[in-house]
Amino acid sequence: MSDRIHSLSGYMYEYQKSVQDPESFWSRIADSFHWRKKWDKVVDWNFETPDVKWFVNGKLNITENILDRHLYTRGDQAAIIWEPNDPEEEHITLTYKELHAKVCQFANAIKAKGVGKGDRVIIYMPMVPEAAIAMLACARIGAIHSIVFAGFSANALSDRINDCKAKMVITADGNFRGNKQIPVKEVVDEALKNCDSVESTIVLKRTGQDIQMTSGLDIWWHDAIEGVSTENKAEEMDSEDMLFILYTSGSTGQPKGVVHTCGGYMIYTAYSFQNVFQYNQGDVYWCTADVGWITGHSYIVYGPLLAGATSIMFEGVPTFPDAGRFWAICDKHQVNQFYTAPTAIRALQAYGTEPIEPYKLDSLKVLGSVGEPINEEAWHWYHDHVGKGKCPIVDTWWQTETGGIMVSPLAGITPTKPAYATLPLPGIQLVILDNEGNELKGNSVEGNLCIKFPWPSMLRTTYGDHDRCKQTYFSTFPNHYFTGDGVKRDEDGYYRILGRVDDVINVSGHRMGTAEVENAINEHPKVIESAVVGYPHDIKGQGIYAFVICDMDGRTEEGLTKEIKETVNKIIGPIARPDKIQIVPGLPKTRSGKIMRRILRKIASGDGDNLGDISTLFNPEVVEAIKEGASH
Ligand code: WT7
């Protein structure tokens, strides 16, 4: 495709153009896609309400751009290569032609079950090709998919189903993860006890484990597609029709349904994919994320397939059957671009270089990182031992809400700098604001990362509650999108993300709201009050530390902490399980009753001797007791 940047001066030129005249810039990029009807206006926006529209009145179907458009040029090329959990099991290759047929067939199948344009469909699945097929089938008929990561609990799943009033759930019997077999359908059964909107579920047979099929509700995937045509005319969608909803945590207790729409998301994921990874035709690209997160949406499925790439999907975990699995897969499929998370790199780093040694890794050209700041040590290990010193690392900063990569080197084109996401992509107008909302201009400044101009793949609303979108992202700093991240622009103008400035923690690259974890902990009948903070964790980046006031009621501390962890497992899922729980006699509060998290964060980080003046607290005496009981 013609929108590739090839040099540093090319980047600077494109960036300037994108800021001076965004409309011509994006219009030129969008021109290379297939539109049923061209747009009337490139962008219409207002960050106050907020109201953002891209490619106004344009008509398209994103799957025509992913599938039909590629049929004649690369029909026999691999679109998806699926690598199973068990290395002994055969991998599966789906060419663009095959993927087209499977998507059309499944689209017809879900349509026959009564799902149509605008209906919401929940996808709760393991990392199998059918997860991508299900997403694209929804997009084909204009249904709005909402993927829920298969590690979430029944409770978290039913919350999401109910929030978007989903009509259908697409799932599987079970999930192979390492040497474990995880029940999936069972969780759906449990969730559906509390959901009225769901009319049918489709169940893929993956593990073959025993499950309950409810007649009139559940149907096997293979039965649903039996004899169904592999041709389907894509539904015509407006640019601003919803493509998907993806739930994400924030500083309040309830996850938000981030809404992305068809036209802008299509343009930006494809554009950013090609430029950041410098993908060349014929390359094999692998992103290790799960489709349950935004990274899986934008950079396993939509971005790469829009660009006509070959995208690997991996079912398993990095340490099964051993800590060399990632590298075995890179050699086996001759991976050229490899995109993973710092937490995975640190976990593998802990095994030393021995598991890497048997592998050549000579096909690798580009390494990527996403999800949290990558510390310098992990950056160098990744660079030296995985990339053998010859692959640029693209440290990509972005968010569920941004839809695509916002700040990152372009591989081999713009400079890299360890622990820096470096420079914004063309079209991305960053500003740094101080707490009063004044713009900090020039270099060597630090403050709140905001964006002052819309970009095509930005969120449009939070599902069912537009005011929440406004309050969360557009009210802290009027007329700006606020990311929630702190940032530094160094003396050379490069950006370094400093982490969240709100009550959100980042555990293994997954966003957790502290309030959400507290709500879950508080569900335990013996918990009186709790406060959750993040603390530095060697592998996860941040760990979850919970300070809890309990009515012990004859229980041991050990017994109670175990019960609390189980409660969190049940309410949210294992990803939110606290790493440390400390039972405390009280929580440090201001005179107005606000919990002083700053103090708890310091104690949790082992910096309890450095609390500063605490005499203004309502209950300063409690701090000593907490410090004494702290576990490190
Ligand atoms: C938050 C967004 C975007 C996909 C994965 C997470 C943090 C993300 C980086 C990076 C420093 C990063 C930010 C951001 N984050 N990438 N390269 N360097 N921090 O998506 O769950 O929406 O979380 O992840 O704090 O706000 P998410």
Side-chain angles (χ1 to χ4, degrees):
M1 261 181 248
S2 57
D3 303 317
R4 269 273 295 282
I5 293 169
H6 298 283
S7 64
L8 180 57
S9 59
Y11 161 76
M12 285 168 5
Y13 179 68
E14 291 291 301
Y15 188 84
Q16 281 312 317
K17 280 209 308 194
S18 76
V19 172
Q20 279 158 7
D21 187 356
E23 301 222 0
S24 332
F25 178 82
W26 287 114
S27 161
R28 190 196 80 219
I29 311 276
D31 257 337
S32 64
F33 290 77
H34 173 66
W35 296 83
R36 294 251 186 109
K37 176 184 164 288
K38 211 174 152 164
W39 56 91
D40 298 331
K41 190 165 190 290
V42 177
V43 59
D44 231 347
W45 67 289
N46 172 346
F47 272 4
E48 229 166 282
T49 36
D51 184 24
V52 174
K53 292 191 177 81
W54 279 91
F55 309 109
V56 183
N57 292 329
K59 306 285 177 199
L60 74 152
N61 186 290
I62 196 167
T63 72
E64 279 186 341
N65 284 275
I66 288 174
L67 301 167
D68 308 64
R69 188 170 55 131
H70 296 317
L71 279 188
Y72 300 101
T73 47
R74 49 176 72 85
D76 295 321
Q77 180 205 306
I80 293 176
I81 298 176
W82 174 73
E83 177 66 26
N85 177 63
D86 179 355
E88 303 292 314
E89 190 179 336
E90 284 284 314
H91 69 272
I92 290 175
T93 300
L94 291 177
T95 64
Y96 274 92
K97 243 187 223 155
E98 290 163 337
L99 184 62
H100 178 266
K102 285 184 185 291
V103 168
C104 289
Q105 185 179 47
F106 195 62
N108 289 327
I110 57 177
K111 215 169 173 173
K113 297 293 290 177
V115 175
K117 183 170 179 174
D119 288 337
R120 276 81 54 212
V121 174
I122 292 277
I123 300 176
Y124 184 76
M125 287 187 95
M127 279 291 288
V128 288
E130 286 81 359
I133 292 167
M135 291 164 85
L136 296 173
C138 288
R140 187 83 177 173
I141 64 168
I144 302 162
H145 61 71
S146 183
I147 308 191
V148 178
F149 173 62
F152 276 116
S153 69
N155 180 81
L157 176 59
S158 63
D159 277 353
R160 287 155 176 79
I161 294 173
N162 288 332
D163 187 78
C164 70
K165 299 188 184 58
K167 201 167 184 181
M168 172 180 269
V169 175
I170 303 173
T171 188
D173 49 357
N175 187 357
F176 289 124
R177 301 278 293 165
N179 48 23
K180 285 193 280 208
Q181 198 169 309
I182 294 163
V184 175
K185 174 63 164 57
E186 212 176 285
V187 179
V188 173
D189 292 345
E190 180 66 29
L192 289 188
K193 286 184 189 157
N194 305 311
C195 305
D196 298 332
S197 59
V198 175
E199 291 171 10
S200 54
T201 70
I202 298 192
V203 187
L204 178 80
K205 191 173 224 145
R206 170 60 189 131
T207 57
Q209 65 200 82
D210 253 354
I211 57 162
Q212 199 116 54
M213 292 290 281
T214 307
S215 73
L217 178 72
D218 299 332
I219 171 172
W220 286 108
W221 180 296
H222 53 262
D223 289 334
I225 59 171
E226 171 84 44
V228 173
S229 160
T230 55
E231 275 166 41
N232 171 284
K233 181 146 174 50
E235 186 76 30
E236 182 166 294
M237 304 295 284
D238 186 89
S239 242
E240 285 300 331
D241 280 337
M242 288 187 199
L243 176 62
F244 66 84
I245 304 169
L246 185 57
Y247 286 87
T248 189
S249 300
S251 33
T252 63
Q254 221 27 40
K256 302 177 282 276
V258 169
V259 170
H260 286 288
T261 57
C262 296
Y265 180 83
M266 169 171 85
I267 303 305
Y268 195 77
T269 52
Y271 177 76
S272 54
F273 169 75
Q274 294 176 72
N275 279 297
V276 169
F277 296 100
Q278 291 289 305
Y279 182 89
N280 288 313
Q281 284 314 309
D283 283 350
V284 176
Y285 160 90
W286 179 21
C287 166
T288 69
D290 189 286
V291 286
W293 310 112
I294 190 71
T295 310
H297 286 63
S298 302
Y299 298 110
I300 294 177
V301 180
Y302 287 108
L305 298 182
L306 282 161
T310 297
S311 180
I312 294 190
M313 242 179 126
F314 174 44
E315 180 180 39
V317 297
T319 48
F320 178 81
D322 57 52
R325 186 68 193 279
F326 273 0
W327 324 127
I329 297 173
C330 284
D331 275 8
K332 176 177 175 189
H333 297 293
Q334 291 291 290
V335 171
N336 302 113
Q337 290 88 7
F338 176 73
Y339 189 28
T340 195
T343 187
I345 299 165
R346 288 191 300 262
L348 294 174
Q349 197 181 350
Y351 290 84
T353 53
E354 207 181 309
I356 303 191
E357 276 150 25
Y359 305 101
K360 284 207 180 101
L361 298 180
D362 56 350
S363 55
L364 290 174
K365 295 193 285 194
V366 175
L367 301 176
S369 169
V370 61
E372 56 176 309
I374 176 165
N375 48 307
E376 288 197 38
E377 204 193 333
W379 195 98
H380 285 292
W381 192 84
Y382 197 24
H383 184 261
D384 298 349
H385 299 293
V386 180
K388 315 291 181 205
K390 64 177 177 52
C391 302
I393 295 181
V394 291
D395 177 358
T396 63
W397 175 84
W398 58 296
Q399 311 179 295
T400 303
E401 294 85 346
T402 69
I405 297 168
M406 305 291 277
V407 186
S408 170
L410 308 183
I413 305 289
T414 65
T416 62
K417 185 167 181 172
Y420 281 73
T422 72
L423 299 171
L425 264 65
I428 307 307
Q429 302 192 29
L430 306 177
V431 287
I432 303 182
L433 302 182
D434 68 14
N435 289 342
E436 281 68 53
N438 305 307
E439 182 170 352
L440 302 173
K441 295 199 171 133
N443 290 342
S444 303
V445 291
E446 211 176 289
N448 300 296
L449 179 59
C450 296
I451 304 169
K452 69 173 179 192
F453 192 85
W455 63 101
S457 65
M458 68 185 288
L459 87 162
R460 300 298 196 266
T461 188
T462 43
Y463 193 79
D465 191 353
H466 191 65
D467 192 53
R468 193 153 174 219
C469 173
K470 175 177 168 161
Q471 295 307 331
T472 313
Y473 306 105
F474 297 91
S475 297
T476 317
F477 302 109
N479 280 312
H480 289 83
Y481 168 82
F482 176 40
T483 64
D485 279 318
V487 70
K488 164 179 158 179
R489 186 163 52 221
D490 75 357
E491 59 285 1
D492 301 318
Y494 294 125
Y495 291 85
R496 176 179 189 150
I497 307 298
L498 302 171
R500 303 289 303 197
V501 296
D502 51 10
D503 287 325
V504 167
I505 49 185
N506 190 322
V507 185
S508 301
H510 302 313
R511 199 197 299 192
M512 292 298 337
T514 52
E516 208 183 330
V517 183
E518 287 162 9
N519 288 350
I521 291 174
N522 298 347
E523 290 283 315
H524 189 285
K526 296 296 163 197
V527 169
I528 295 163
E529 197 178 7
S530 65
V532 166
V533 297
Y535 72 98
H537 186 288
D538 284 349
I539 304 240
K540 298 179 175 183
Q542 282 189 298
I544 302 179
Y545 197 127
F547 297 89
V548 189
I549 309 175
C550 296
D551 165 9
M552 296 304 287
D553 200 17
R555 289 169 164 81
T556 63
E557 224 174 282
E558 202 192 347
L560 194 54
T561 37
K562 206 168 148 228
E563 284 178 31
I564 293 173
K565 285 185 183 181
E566 256 147 43
T567 306
V568 175
N569 249 355
K570 187 165 163 269
I571 305 281
I572 308 176
I575 49 170
R577 185 171 42 211
D579 298 278
K580 292 180 181 175
I581 296 182
Q582 184 185 345
I583 313 254
V584 293
L587 293 166
K589 290 192 177 168
T590 61
R591 286 176 194 279
S592 62
K594 204 169 160 264
I595 296 174
M596 288 293 284
R597 288 165 186 285
R598 184 180 58 81
I599 291 176
L600 296 175
R601 272 196 288 267
K602 284 211 159 176
I603 296 175
S605 318
D607 200 14
D609 292 331
N610 220 341
L611 298 179
D613 183 18
I614 56 165
S615 62
T616 56
L617 286 179
F618 170 69
N619 51 353
E621 70 290 346
V622 86
V623 173
E624 220 28 64
I626 299 177
K627 269 166 65 176
E628 264 165 40
S631 68
H632 298 295

